[in-house]
Amino acid sequence: AQSVAQPEDQVNVAEGNPLTVKCTYSVSGNPYLFWYVQYPNRGLQFLLKYITGDNLVKGSYGFEAEFNKSQTSFHLKKPSALVSDSALYFCAVRDMNRDDKIIFGKGTRLHILP
Amino acid sequence: EAQVTQNPRYLITVTGKKLTVTCSQNMNHEYMSWYRQDPGLGLRQIYYSMNVEVTDKGDVPEGYKVSRKEKRNFPLILESPSPNQTSLYFCASSPSVKGLGYTFGSGTRLTVV
C-alpha cells in the first residue's frame, strides 16, 4: 500500500534560517506527491506537487520540495523562514491503486522563532 | 471564487442526536471526500465519492453515512453520534484527472458530549 511518513512531529527554526520538513514515501509505481499546509483554524491549503519532470518543485509562499527517488524522499524546503510560516505541514501521496485516494502523513508542526 | 463550503464551522451536540454536516463545491469536481483530523493521527479518510450516486468507505467509516445525489453536494451524516466522534472534519474535492490534489473546506469542529 502507498504511504508517507513524516519522521518529525515538530521542527523549530529561527527566523531567516533555511528550513526543511522531512517526508519519505513508499509507493509502487510512479508517486504523485503533495505538500499541504494548515494554518490555525483553517483548512488545508495546497502548496506544491510532484508528478513527473524536474526533481525540484517550486510551490506557493516561496516553498520548494526535492524529489529524491533513490532515497524515496520528498522534503519540503524554504531558503529563509518567516514567522508566518509557522503552521502544520502535511505530506501526502495519491494512491492510484485505491481509487486515487490521497493518503496523508501525520503532519509536522513547524515553529519559526523570532 | 472556487471553493469547498462546509457548514457548520462549529457544532456541540449530545450523544445520540442525529446530525448532518453539509459540504458543497462549485468547481464541478467529480471526486469528493470526508476526512477527520485527530491529534497524533493526522487525517483519516471516512468516505469518498467518485461521482454522483457512487460512494465508498474510507479507512474509518464506522458510525458515518454519506450520500451523493448531486455532483456539488456531499453531506456527512452521523445517525447516532458518540463522544469518540469528537473531531475536526474536513470535506475535500478534486477533479477526476489523476495526479491533482484536493481543495479543502475550512473544517467543522464537532464536539459530542
Side-chain angles (χ1 to χ4, degrees):
Chain A
Q2 324 280 51
S3 66
V4 290
Q6 295 179 243
E8 302 154 318
D9 290 335
Q10 182 167 311
V11 172
N12 297 323
V13 177
E15 186 177 23
N17 282 2
L19 69 87
T20 299
V21 183
K22 296 179 181 176
C23 173
T24 58
Y25 66 88
S26 174
V27 304
S28 56
N30 295 322
Y32 287 9
L33 295 161
F34 304 86
W35 276 101
Y36 285 83
V37 59
Q38 185 181 26
Y39 298 104
N41 300 314
R42 303 287 297 274
L44 278 73
Q45 296 178 33
F46 171 80
L47 272 181
L48 51 80
K49 67 181 178 187
Y50 172 83
I51 300 177
T52 60
D54 288 341
N55 290 340
L56 187 63
V57 180
K58 294 192 183 297
S60 307
Y61 312 122
F63 283 92
E64 58 190 25
E66 186 171 11
F67 173 71
N68 188 317
K69 189 171 184 177
S70 63
Q71 297 186 7
T72 63
S73 67
F74 189 56
H75 300 334
L76 182 70
K77 301 182 179 185
K78 187 173 183 180
S80 178
L82 301 172
V83 172
S84 58
D85 292 330
S86 298
L88 187 57
Y89 290 81
F90 290 95
C91 182
V93 62
R94 191 149 194 174
D95 190 342
M96 301 306 178
N97 298 321
R98 294 175 63 189
D99 290 338
D100 285 345
K101 70 180 292 180
I102 289 188
I103 300 167
F104 290 86
K106 289 188 166 51
T108 298
R109 189 163 296 281
L110 178 63
H111 287 287
I112 306 302
L113 309 171
Chain B
E1 180 188 353
Q3 60 185 357
V4 176
T5 303
Q6 287 180 236
N7 280 297
R9 288 293 306 275
Y10 301 92
L11 179 59
I12 301 174
T13 190
V14 296
T15 299
K17 185 177 181 180
K18 181 180 178 180
L19 66 91
T20 299
V21 183
T22 63
C23 173
S24 181
Q25 51 94 4
N26 62 0
M27 296 166 282
N28 202 36
H29 286 170
E30 288 82 9
Y31 191 104
M32 297 185 75
S33 182
W34 276 103
Y35 286 86
R36 61 178 288 175
Q37 183 181 12
D38 301 289
L41 298 177
L43 281 88
R44 295 178 293 169
Q45 191 180 50
I46 303 170
Y47 268 94
Y48 64 97
S49 170
M50 302 283 282
N51 214 323
V52 176
E53 301 292 0
V54 179
T55 64
D56 212 339
K57 296 178 180 179
D59 298 315
V60 288
E62 295 78 19
Y64 304 94
K65 287 174 59 177
V66 293
S67 69
R68 189 89 182 273
K69 292 184 172 58
E70 306 163 284
K71 198 171 190 178
R72 63 184 293 124
N73 295 324
F74 190 46
L76 179 70
I77 304 157
L78 285 71
E79 294 270 0
S80 182
S82 62
N84 65 12
Q85 293 178 297
T86 293
S87 187
L88 181 58
Y89 291 86
F90 288 102
C91 181
S93 73
S94 172
S96 63
V97 177
K98 291 183 186 297
L100 296 181
Y102 287 171
T103 300
F104 280 85
S106 297
T108 296
R109 186 167 291 281
L110 172 65
T111 302
V112 184
V113 297

